[in-house]
C-alpha cells in the first residue's frame, strides 16, 4: 500500500507541479495544460474519491486538536482522512488551515489539497463598509481595491476562496440581506459585481494573496416574498432575465471561478435543483467553466420545500441540475456512489463536477504548494496593516451619503462649537462593523466619538439617551431591542440644551440586518425616535447620523431635522470616516443605490418600475389612478440621490443626432457646473426609457454614469455615448434584442433627472 502511495505521490509531483502558473484569464494553452493534468489525476481516482471532491464540510471543533471519536465530527474527520472531503469552510488562520491541509495532502491516498472557503464579505479582520454602503460610493476603483485588500488579508490567514460577492438585486428593504448586495439596479450591480470579482481574484489567481470569488445566490434570492428571508420567490421570465440575472452574467464575464446557488425556490423549483438556471443558463448559454457550490444545507432543504421525496432524491436532483459541491447537507457523500452504481446518475456528471472543482484548485496553485496560504509570519505581517486600513478608510468616506443639509449646518466649524453627541450608536465600537463581519474582533471599530475626538479632544461629551440593545449582539442569535428603558432620555435632554449642535447617532445595530434579519418596520428601532423627538424639543440644531444596513423610513426626521448623514455600517474605520465628513475634510459624494421609502407600505419601491396605465392624477377628485389614499407614491429619497456640501447645475443637453442606427451612435452632452462654495465630486447619471416595446419597459433605466470632480464655479462638458447595444433587453421573443422605436434620454444627479431629450432607434 505504501509503495503504491509513493508511486502516486511521485507521479503527482512530477506531472502536476508544472501547473503552477495561473492567470485568471488564462490563455488557451495554459488552460488546456491544466485540463490535461486534471484528466490524468481523475484517471487515478476512485468513484468515492471523486465524490469526495464534491463534499464540503464546515470546520469541526476538534479537527485540529485531539482526534474526535463521536458524532458528526468523528465522521467528518474520518472522511477527511479517507479523501472524501474536497473543501472546508470556516477553518481560519494560517496554522489551523495548515493542520487540515496536512491531513488532506499527507494522509489521504492521492493527497489532493482542500480548497478553503469563508465568507469574506466586506473584509476578513479589517472591515470595509458593508457592501450596500460601498455601492453608494459608485466608485468602482475603490470597491475593487476594498475587495483586493480583503483578499490579501484573508489569503494570509489560510483562506483561498470567498463566498462573495453577493450580487442579488433586491427591491425590498425588509430583507435583511440587502446589506450584502449592491442595491436595486442591475446595471450598476453588474459593474460592481465585476469590480469585486476582479478585486478578489486579481489577474493571477495563483498568487498567494488572490482568492477565488463566488457569485451568489443563484438565483432570485433577493426577491423573497414580503422580504422574509428564505421565503418563496415567484418572478416572471422578464424580471429574471432583465433584472436578476445581469450581475451574475457580469460575474461570469469577469471570470468568476465559482457560483453559489440559493435557498429559495424559484417559480416552484428550488434553486439548488434547478437545471434551467444551472445547466441551461449558467453552464450552457453563458459557458461558465467554474463550479457551483450549494448554499448551506440547501440540498437537504429541497425535501423541506416539498420538492424532493428524501435526501437520496435531493442528491440526484441536485447533481443532475448542475450543483457541483454539497455544502453541509452530507447528501453527496452519502448517496451519490449508490446513485451512480444504480444507474440513476450518469458518471459523466460526476466527472464534469470534479473536473470543474479540480481545475479551480489547480488555478489557485494548490497542487504546486498546498501550504501557500499557510504562512503565519505573513499572516502577522499583513493582518491589519497600514495599507489595508487606508483602503478601508478611503472607501468608508466615499460610501457616506448626505441626505439633507438645511442652512448648511454641515460641515461643522472646527473651532468654537459646543457640541454634544447623543444616541446609542455614538460611542459604539461593535455595531459599525455591520453584519457578516468575518473574523473582526468584537468592538474593534473606531466609534464616532473616537473619530470626533481627533478634532475636538476630550471636550466632547456623549449621552447614550436610550440603549438600543440588551447585551452584546452576535451573528447567530436574535438581537434583543430595548423598548422599555427610558431612564437616559431626561439626562440627554438636559445636556442638549445650550449646545450649538447636537450630533444624534441612531439607526440599526450591526446585527439587525444580514441573514435571517428581516424586519416588518423600517423605523428607528426601539426608543430612538422618542429620544430624537425629545431632544428636538429643546434643540433644533441636530445633525442626525444614521448607522444602518438597509434603507430606513425616516419621514419625521426628514421633515424636522436640518442635517441627515447616512453613514451605514462603515466597518473598522467608521468613526474616522464620519468625522472627516462632518468636519468637511471630505466632501460627501455618495449616492443611494436603493430607494428610501416614506413608509414601509410603499415597499417594494424602486426607481425602474413600470408606468402602469394610470400613473398620474387625472384631476377632479378622481381616485381611479395608481396611488395610495394615505401616502404619496414618491419615495423619501430616490435611487441615485445624495447631496454634497456644494451644489451642481446641469444644463445645455445636446444630442449629436436624434436617430440611432447600426452605424451611427448618439453622443449626449451637457454642461455640469459647480455652483456652490466647495470643491466637490458629483456622479452624473444617464437614464433611458424605451417608450413602447414588445414588453412594457421601465420608466427609466440607468445606462451610464461618470464621477466628476469640480472646483467652485468650474464647468465641465460631459458626454455619454448611446449605442444600440445599450437598448437591448430580454424581449417577448425570449431573446436579447434591441427593438426599434422611440426613446427618451435623461440626465441628472439622481434618478429624479433634470434634463431630458428624445431619439429614435431605427
Ligand atoms: C449563506 C451563504 C453563506 C453560507 C456559508 C449561508 O447561510 O446563505 O451566503 O456563504 O451560509 O457561510
Amino acid at each position: 500500500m505504501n509503495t503504491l502511495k509513493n508511486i502516486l505521490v511521485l507521479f503527482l509531483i512530477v506531472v502536476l507541479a508544472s501547473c503552477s502558473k495561473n492567470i485568471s484569464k488564462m490563455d488557451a494553452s495554459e488552460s488546456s495544460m491544466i485540463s490535461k493534468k486534471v484528466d490524468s489525476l481523475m484517471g487515478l481516482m476512485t468513484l468515492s474519491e471523486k465524490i469526495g471532491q464534491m463534499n464540503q464540510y464546515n470546520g469541526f471543533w476538534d479537527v485540529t486538536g485531539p482526534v474526535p471519536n463521536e458524532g458528526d465530527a468523528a465522521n467528518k474527520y474520518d472522511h477527511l482522512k479517507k479523501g472524501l472531503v474536497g473543501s472546508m469552510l470556516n477553518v481560519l488562520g494560517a496554522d489551523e488551515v495548515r493542520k487540515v491541509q496536512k491531513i488532506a495532502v499527507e494522509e489521504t491516498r492521492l493527497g489532493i489539497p482542500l480548497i478553503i472557503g469563508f465568507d469574506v464579505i466586506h473584509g476578513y479582520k479589517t472591515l470595509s463598509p458593508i457592501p450596500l454602503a460601498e455601492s453608494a460610493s459608485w466608485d468602482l476603483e475603490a470597491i475593487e481595491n476594498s475587495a483586493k485588500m480583503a483578499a490579501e488579508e484573508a489569503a494570509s490567514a489560510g483562506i483561498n476562496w470567498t463566498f462573495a460577492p453577493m450580487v442579488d438585486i433586491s427591491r425590498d428593504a425588509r430583507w435583511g440581506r440587502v446589506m450584502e448586495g449592491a442595491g436595486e439596479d442591475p446595471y450598476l450591480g453588474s459593474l460592481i459585481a465585476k469590480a469585486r470579482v476582479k478585486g478578489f481574484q486579481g489577474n493571477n489567481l495563483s498568487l498567494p494573496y488572490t482568492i477565488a470569488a463566488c457569485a451568489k445566490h443563484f438565483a432570485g434570492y433577493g426577491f423573497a416574498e414580503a422580504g422574509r428571508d428564505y421565503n418563496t420567490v415567484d418572478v416572471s421570465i422578464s424580471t429574471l432575465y432583465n433584472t436578476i440575472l445581469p450581475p451574475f452574467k457580469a460575474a461570469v464575464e469577469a471570470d468568476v471561478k465559482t457560483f453559489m446557488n440559493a435557498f429559495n425556490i424559484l417559480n416552484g423549483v428550488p434553486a439548488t435543483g434547478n437545471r434551467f438556471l444551472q445547466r441551461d443558463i449558467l453552464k450552457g448559454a453563458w459557458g461558465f467553466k467554474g463550479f457551483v457550490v450549494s448554499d448551506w444545507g440547501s440540498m437537504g432543504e429541497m425535501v423541506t420545500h416539498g420538492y424532493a421525496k428524501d435526501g437520496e432524491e435531493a442528491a440526484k436532483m441536485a447533481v443532475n441540475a448542475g450543483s457541483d459541491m454539497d455544502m453541509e447537507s452530507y447528501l453527496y457523500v452519502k448517496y451519490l456512489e449508490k446513485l451512480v452504481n444504480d444507474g440513476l446518475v450518469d458518471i459523466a456528471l460526476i466527472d464534469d463536477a470534479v473536473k470543474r472543482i479540480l481545475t479551480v484548485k489547480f488555478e489557485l496553485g494548490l497542487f504546486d504548494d498546498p501550504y501557500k496560504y499557510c504562512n503565519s509570519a505573513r499572516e502577522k505581517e499583513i493582518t491589519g496593516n497600514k495599507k489595508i486600513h487606508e483602503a478601508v478608510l478611503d472607501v468608508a468616506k466615499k460610501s457616506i451619503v448626505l441626505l439633507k443639509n438645511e442652512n448648511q449646518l454641515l460641515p461643522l466649524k472646527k473651532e468654537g462649537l459646543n457640541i454634544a453627541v447623543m444616541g446609542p450608536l455614538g460611542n459604539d465600537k461593535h455595531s459599525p462593523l455591520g453584519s457578516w463581519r468575518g473574523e473582526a474582533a468584537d468592538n474593534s471599530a473606531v466609534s464616532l466619538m473616537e473619530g470626533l475626538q481627533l478634532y475636538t479632544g476630550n471636550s466632547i461629551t456623549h449621552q447614550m439617551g436610550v440603549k438600543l440593545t440588551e447585551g452584546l449582539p452576535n451573528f447567530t442569535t436574535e438581537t434583543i431591542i430595548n423598548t422599555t428603558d427610558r431612564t437616559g432620555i431626561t439626562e440627554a435632554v438636559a445636556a442638549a440644551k445650550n449646545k450649538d449642535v447636537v450630533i444624534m447617532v441612531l439607526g440599526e445595530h450591526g446585527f439587525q440586518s444580514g441573514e435571517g434579519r428581516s424586519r416588518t418596520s423600517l423605523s428607528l428601532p426601539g426608543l430612538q425616535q422618542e429620544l430624537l423627538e425629545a431632544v428636538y424639543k429643546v434643540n433644533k440644531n441636530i445633525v442626525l447620523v444614521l448607522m444602518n444596513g438597509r434603507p430606513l423610513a425616516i419621514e419625521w426626521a426628514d421633515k424636522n431635522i436640518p442635517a441627515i448623514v447616512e453613514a451605514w455600517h462603515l466597518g473598522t474605520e467608521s468613526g474616522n470616516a464620519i468625522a472627516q465628513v462632518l468636519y468637511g475634510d471630505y466632501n460627501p459624494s455618495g449616492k443611494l443605490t436603493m430607494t428610501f421609502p416614506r413608509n414601509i407600505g410603499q415597499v417594494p419601491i424602486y426607481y425602474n418600475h413600470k408606468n402602469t396605465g394610470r400613473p398620474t392624477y387625472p384631476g377632479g377628485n378622481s381616485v381611479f389612478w395608481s396611488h395610495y389614499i394615505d401616502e404619496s407614491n414618491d419615495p423619501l429619497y430616490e435611487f441615485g440621490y445624495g447631496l454634497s456640501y456644494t451644489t451642481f447645475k446641469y444644463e445645455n443637453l445636446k444630442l449629436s443626432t436624434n436617430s440611432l442606427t447600426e452605424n451611427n451612435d448618439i453622443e449626449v452632452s451637457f454642461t455640469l457646473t459647480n455652483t456652490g462654495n466647495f470643491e466637490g465630486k458629483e456622479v452624473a447619471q444617464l437614464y433611458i426609457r424605451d417608450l413602447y416595446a414588445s414588453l412594457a419597459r421601465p420608466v427609466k433605466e440607468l445606462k451610464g454614469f461618470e464621477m466628476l470632480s469640480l472646483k467652485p464655479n468650474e464647468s465641465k462638458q460631459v458626454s455619454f455615448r448611446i449605442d444600440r447595444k445599450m437598448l437591448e433587453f430580454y424581449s417577448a421573443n425570449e431573446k436579447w434584442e434591441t427593438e426599434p422605436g422611440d426613446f427618451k434620454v435623461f440626465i441628472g444627479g439622481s434618478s429624479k433627472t433634470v434634463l431630458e431629450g428624445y431619439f429614435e432607434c431605427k
Side-chain angles (χ1 to χ4, degrees), residues 156 158 161 249 269 287 303 530 661 730 751:
S156 79
W161 177 24
K249 171 112 187 299
V269 180
V303 178
E530 207 173 304
T661 61
Y730 198 77
S751 56

Side-chain angles (χ1 to χ4, degrees), residues 496-601:
K497 289 179 186 155
N498 311 321
K499 291 288 184 302
D500 297 319
V501 176
V502 179
I503 301 175
M504 299 282 301
V505 195
L506 308 178
E508 295 182 310
H509 193 275
F511 286 117
Q512 271 179 289
S513 54
E515 185 173 352
R517 269 70 180 204
S518 298
R519 292 183 64 197
T520 62
S521 156
L522 297 177
S523 320
L524 293 168
L527 300 170
Q528 298 180 100
Q529 181 68 26
E530 207 173 304
L531 172 70
L532 182 61
E533 292 185 26
V535 171
Y536 177 77
K537 280 199 184 117
V538 299
N539 193 333
K540 306 218 169 346
N541 275 344
I542 294 178
V543 175
L544 172 60
V545 174
L546 293 169
M547 294 184 178
N548 42 294
R550 52 155 67 77
L552 294 178
I554 47 156
E555 211 174 9
W556 184 91
D558 178 67
K559 255 190 216 120
N560 297 289
I561 303 298
I564 307 178
V565 175
E566 176 52 80
W568 316 105
H569 296 132
L570 287 182
T572 306
E573 288 286 343
S574 187
N576 289 333
I578 304 167
Q580 286 191 26
V581 164
L582 296 183
Y583 279 102
D585 284 346
Y586 184 81
N587 186 356
S589 53
K591 303 267 190 183
L592 299 177
T593 58
M594 252 192 114
T595 305
F596 275 43
R598 291 176 181 279
N599 72 46
I600 198 156

